[in-house]
Amino acid sequence: MNSNNNNNNDSSSEDDLQVYETLTKLPPPNELLPRKLTIDIDVKSLYPLKPLPQFCKTYTTFIEESSQKQCIIPDIQVTDENRTLLDYYEENKQNLVYKRFDQLDLGKRTSNDRTYFASLLANFKRTQPRVFFRGEALFDQKLTPCSCDQIQFDSNFESGNLFCAFKKADNVYDLILQNDINTRGNTQWFFFSVTGAKAGQTIQFNILNHLKTGSLFNEGLQPAVYSVKENQLVGTEWCREGFNISYFKSVFMKEYPLSLKKKYYQLRFHYTFKHDGDKVYFAHSYPYTYTNLLEFLNTQLEDQERNQYLSRKVLCTTLGGNTCEVLTITSNSLQKRAFRKGVVFLARQHPGEPQGSYVMQGIIEFLTSNNPQADYLRQNCIFKIFPMMNSDGVVNGNYRCGLEGSDLNRRWKKPNKYLHPSVYYAKKYVKGFSKERQILLVVDLHGHSRKQSSFVYGCAYSSQVKTIERVFALLMSKVNPFMDYSSCTFRVENAKDKTARIQLWRELKINWVYTYECSFYGQQKKHYQIKDYLNCGVSICNALSQIVKDTTKEFTNQANQPDIQQQMLEELGKMPQTDDQDNGSDSSQSEAELSDDEMVQLFQPKTYSMKQKSLLKQQETNNKKKPQQPNSNLKSTLASQKTSILQESPSKNSEQKPPMSSQKPKNPLYRIQAPQRVRQIDQVKQPELPLMVDKSVQTDDWMYRQWLIQMGKLKKQQEFQSFTPTRNIYKSSSQSVTRFIVKNSTTKNDRGRVDSISLMASGLQNKLSSSSQQRQMMRYSGSNFMS
C-alpha cells in the first residue's frame, strides 16, 4: 500500500512539472482593454433628424412677469362649424408655408374614408420599419413644395412634432400638430422652432388640434421659450414667455368618428421677438430628449467618484431600435447587503411629460453624491432605476404613445413581448427583483397638464384616511415644499387597472406604489423652473431616508427615536374624510388608437390580440365568399348545391336531386375535388335502411330513457337469478341491434338527428310472454340524443 502511494505522489509531481514547463513557454498575455463605461449616443428615428442646441447646461433662474403684455390682432371669424382639418387644407393650401416632410401630398384622400390628416403609420412587418402617409411610403411620394415666406418653421429634430403651418394673415399663423405615430390623435405636446423674424415683431400662433378639453394655459401657464441669441449673449436657458394666451374649443371636428362630431381644442398665444435673425424654440414644457439622457448618464459614468456606486445595463431594444437602460445604485460594501431594501423608480412612460426626466435626474444626482443621507441610502437600499421607458416616443415627438400606437402605462397587465418590450422586460425584471429582496417603494414619475403643484396617485381598497398606503405620501409632502397632499388620491379605478401602479401593487403586494405627478405649470400660479423639478427628486430621497431609518431600528441602537410611521398615522387620523375624486385626471384617450383592422396591417401576426386574430379570420372568410371572377355566380350556385346536399335529410328532401354532371362551370380551371364529392354524395345517396321500423309507435326522449332503465333492471334480475354473467346489453352487438342515420347539419347546433331506431333484445325473448313485449319499436326525433 505504501509503495502505491509513493508511486502516485511521484506521478502527480511529474504532471505538475509538465504543466509548469508548458505555462512558462506560453507567450505573455495581451494587455487588458479598458472597460468602456460610457454609452454610445446612437439615436434611431423613423426619419432623419437635425441636432438640437445644448440645452440646460446651466440652470439659471428667470423673473416671473407680473403683468402680461397686451397686443390686439384682429381675429378671423369662421362660419362653418362642421369642417375637418382636410377641409381646412383644401381652403388654405395656397397659404401653406411649412410641411414637416416636403414630399407629402396633404390633399390626398384614401379610398377607405379613413383620412387622418396628421397621422403617420409605421409598418413593422419587415426588419426595417417603413413610414406611410395615407397609403404610400413617406419618402416615395412626389415632391410638393411650399410657398416661400419670411418666417420659417422647423420641427425636424428630436421630440419635434409640428406637422404643417399656414399663413392666415400678416403675423398670424395657424399650426397643426402631428399625431402620435400609429394613432389618429394624442396631440397635446408641441415643440417647434421659428426663424426669420425681426426684432420687435409680434406674431400670433394658433395651434388648431389640441386634444384635451381643459388646460392650464387658461390659468396662467405660458409656453416654454428658448432663444439661441439670448443664450449666446446673456446665457439665458429655457424660460416662460408669451402673452394673450387662451385655450378654447376649435371649430374643426376630429376625424374619428365624424358621427360624434367631437371638436379639437385650440391654443392661441402671442410672442414678440427680441433679435433679428434669431432662432427661437417653443415647447409645451422644458424638453428633455433621449440624447439629453445619454449625455447625462455619460457624465455620471465618467465621474470617478460617482461611477463606483452606479452601474448600467441594457434592459432591451425597443421597437424603433433604441435601447432601454436600467441603472443600479448601491454601495460597493458587502456589509449587510442581503438585508438591503429594494427601491424602484420609473420615468417617461409618456414621452410628452419631460418633468419625469428632470425629477429622475435629481434622484440620480443625489444618490451618487457624497451627501450623508445619500450614503446612508446606498448602504441600506439597492435602487433599480428605469430612466426612460418610452425612448422611441421621445425621439419621434409623441405625446402619450410608443411607436406601436398604444399607451405603455396601460399595458402592464399583459404586455406583449414584441410590441411593448420595455414594459415586458421591466415587469419581469421587477418581479425577479422582488423575489431577491423586499421592495420598499415603487415610484412612477409623470407630468400633469391640468392640475397645479405635485402630488401622487396611490392604491388603497379602503376609503379610510388612516391607512398605511398614505403614510409615505404624507411624509413626502412634509419634506417637499412643492407637493400638495390634498391633491393626492388613493383609489383603484377600473379605467387605470392596467397601469404600472395598480399591477405592481396588486401582484407584488407592496404598500407604497405611487404615480408621482408634477404639474406642467407650477404651484400657486408660479411657474416651476428646471431646478424645482430636480429638487422634487431630492425631496423623495430625503423622505425615503427617514422611512428606511424607521424600518431598520431593530438592527441598530436607535430604538429610543420616535416612530415616523406611527406619527404619520396619528396625523392621518386627525384629517377629515375625503372622497378621493380626481376631477383633473390625465387618463388615456382610447378613441385615438387605430382600429383592429388597421393594426393588423402594420404588425406581424405574433403580436395580434385575440380580438384582432378573430377579426383577421373573419376578413379572410369574407374575402373567400366575395366574387372575384365574372363566373363567380356559377361557382356560388355550385357551392350552395353542394352544401345543400350535405345538409339535407333524404327522408324529407328526397325530391331534390344532386347537381347533374352536365352542369359544368364555364371556367375550366374551376374544379371540385372529385374524391371528396363522391364520398359525401355516396353517403347520402346510399343510406342503410333501418331494421324493424314501426311508424305507428312514436315516443320521445323521456320515454326512451325510461324504457332503457326498465330493460336494464330486467337484465340485472335475469343475471341474478341465473348466476351466469352476461355482457352488457348496451354494448353487446349480439343482444342489441341499433340502426340510425345521422343528418350532417352545419347551420344548427345539434350534433345529429336519429330518424329511426330499432332495438331487439334476443336474450329476453324467452322471458317476455306477450307479443308487444317481445319487440320494442320506436321512433325518435330530437336534438341532443347523440350527445
Side-chain angles (χ1 to χ4, degrees), residues 555-572:
F555 302 105
T556 60
N557 297 325
Q558 301 175 353
N560 56 349
Q561 294 185 1
D563 193 343
I564 300 295
Q565 296 189 46
Q566 188 63 32
Q567 290 181 5
M568 295 296 106
L569 286 173
E570 292 177 359
E571 188 170 350
L572 287 170

Side-chain angles (χ1 to χ4, degrees), residues 269-288:
F269 68 93
H270 300 75
Y271 179 77
T272 302
F273 290 83
K274 302 176 183 178
H275 306 280
D276 291 332
D278 190 10
K279 187 171 187 178
V280 181
Y281 292 86
F282 298 90
H284 193 186
S285 185
Y286 315 119
Y288 195 102

Side-chain angles (χ1 to χ4, degrees), residues 25-299:
K25 293 179 181 179
L26 291 175
N30 297 328
E31 296 183 358
L32 293 176
L33 296 176
R35 186 167 64 100
K36 188 175 182 180
L37 298 176
T38 58
I39 307 171
D40 293 333
I41 300 178
D42 183 17
V43 179
K44 296 182 180 179
S45 173
L46 295 177
Y47 28 76
L49 298 177
K50 302 175 184 177
L52 281 169
Q54 298 294 328
F55 296 137
C56 308
K57 290 299 180 182
T58 58
Y59 306 111
T60 57
T61 60
F62 60 91
I63 302 174
E64 290 279 344
E65 295 184 1
S66 58
S67 61
Q68 295 185 358
K69 301 178 183 178
Q70 299 294 328
C71 180
I72 300 176
I73 295 179
D75 296 334
I76 300 174
Q77 301 295 332
V78 181
T79 56
D80 189 6
E81 295 185 356
N82 293 325
R83 298 187 305 164
T84 62
L85 295 177
L86 189 58
D87 298 331
Y88 173 82
Y89 169 78
E90 295 294 343
E91 298 172 2
N92 300 274
K93 56 184 176 182
Q94 67 278 3
N95 301 324
L96 181 68
V97 296
Y98 170 75
K99 292 186 299 183
R100 187 172 188 185
F101 307 101
D102 291 335
Q103 67 271 23
L104 295 184
D105 183 10
L106 301 183
K108 179 184 176 182
R109 296 177 182 266
T110 55
S111 58
N112 58 1
D113 296 331
R114 291 179 178 177
T115 304
Y116 311 126
F117 183 75
S119 291
L120 296 179
L121 303 182
N123 192 314
F124 291 93
K125 286 192 173 182
R126 300 181 180 180
T127 55
Q128 295 294 332
R130 296 190 68 188
V131 184
F132 291 83
F133 178 73
R134 300 182 193 172
E136 293 185 7
L138 179 62
F139 297 103
D140 294 343
Q141 300 189 10
K142 297 181 180 180
L143 182 64
T144 54
C146 304
S147 60
C148 299
D149 189 72
Q150 180 184 2
I151 304 298
Q152 298 178 2
F153 294 85
D154 190 15
S155 64
N156 282 324
F157 43 78
E158 197 172 348
S159 298
N161 68 334
L162 179 62
F163 191 70
C164 59
F166 301 85
K167 185 177 182 181
K168 195 66 175 175
D170 291 339
N171 298 327
V172 179
Y173 292 88
D174 290 346
L175 314 179
I176 296 178
L177 303 177
Q178 178 181 308
N179 297 337
D180 285 6
I181 302 294
N182 283 338
T183 71
R184 50 192 180 185
N186 292 313
T187 49
Q188 198 70 21
W189 162 264
F190 61 90
F191 187 21
F192 61 92
S193 68
V194 179
T195 56
K198 298 180 181 179
Q201 183 179 0
T202 300
I203 296 180
Q204 173 182 320
F205 301 99
N206 302 319
I207 302 179
L208 304 180
N209 60 332
H210 275 296
L211 175 70
K212 295 185 178 178
T213 58
S215 175
L216 292 171
F217 284 109
N218 286 333
E219 301 181 19
L221 175 64
Q222 296 172 295
V225 180
Y226 181 91
S227 172
V228 175
K229 282 199 172 183
E230 192 76 10
N231 178 264
Q232 294 174 356
L233 296 174
V234 188
T236 305
E237 291 283 345
W238 284 95
C239 60
R240 296 285 186 175
E241 291 183 358
F243 55 94
N244 285 356
I245 302 172
S246 58
Y247 188 88
F248 53 93
K249 183 178 288 189
S250 176
V251 297
F252 301 106
M253 294 192 307
K254 299 177 181 178
E255 297 94 344
Y256 55 94
L258 289 175
S259 58
L260 298 179
K261 295 184 178 181
K262 291 187 177 182
K263 300 293 184 67
Y264 286 108
Y265 282 78
Q266 179 176 335
L267 171 64
R268 176 182 299 166
F269 68 93
H270 300 75
Y271 179 77
T272 302
F273 290 83
K274 302 176 183 178
H275 306 280
D276 291 332
D278 190 10
K279 187 171 187 178
V280 181
Y281 292 86
F282 298 90
H284 193 186
S285 185
Y286 315 119
Y288 195 102
T289 63
Y290 182 53
T291 303
N292 295 144
L293 172 67
L294 298 181
E295 291 176 349
F296 166 70
L297 293 180
N298 283 339
T299 57

Side-chain angles (χ1 to χ4, degrees), residues 340-354:
R340 295 177 187 175
K341 308 292 184 181
V343 180
V344 178
F345 291 109
L346 305 98
R348 294 304 284 276
Q349 293 201 72
H350 296 154
E353 299 172 0

Side-chain angles (χ1 to χ4, degrees), residues 295-312:
E295 291 176 349
F296 166 70
L297 293 180
N298 283 339
T299 57
Q300 298 291 308
L301 294 171
E302 290 172 355
D303 193 330
Q304 297 297 328
E305 295 183 358
R306 294 178 181 270
N307 62 14
Q308 57 182 333
Y309 313 121
L310 175 65
S311 63
R312 56 170 288 271

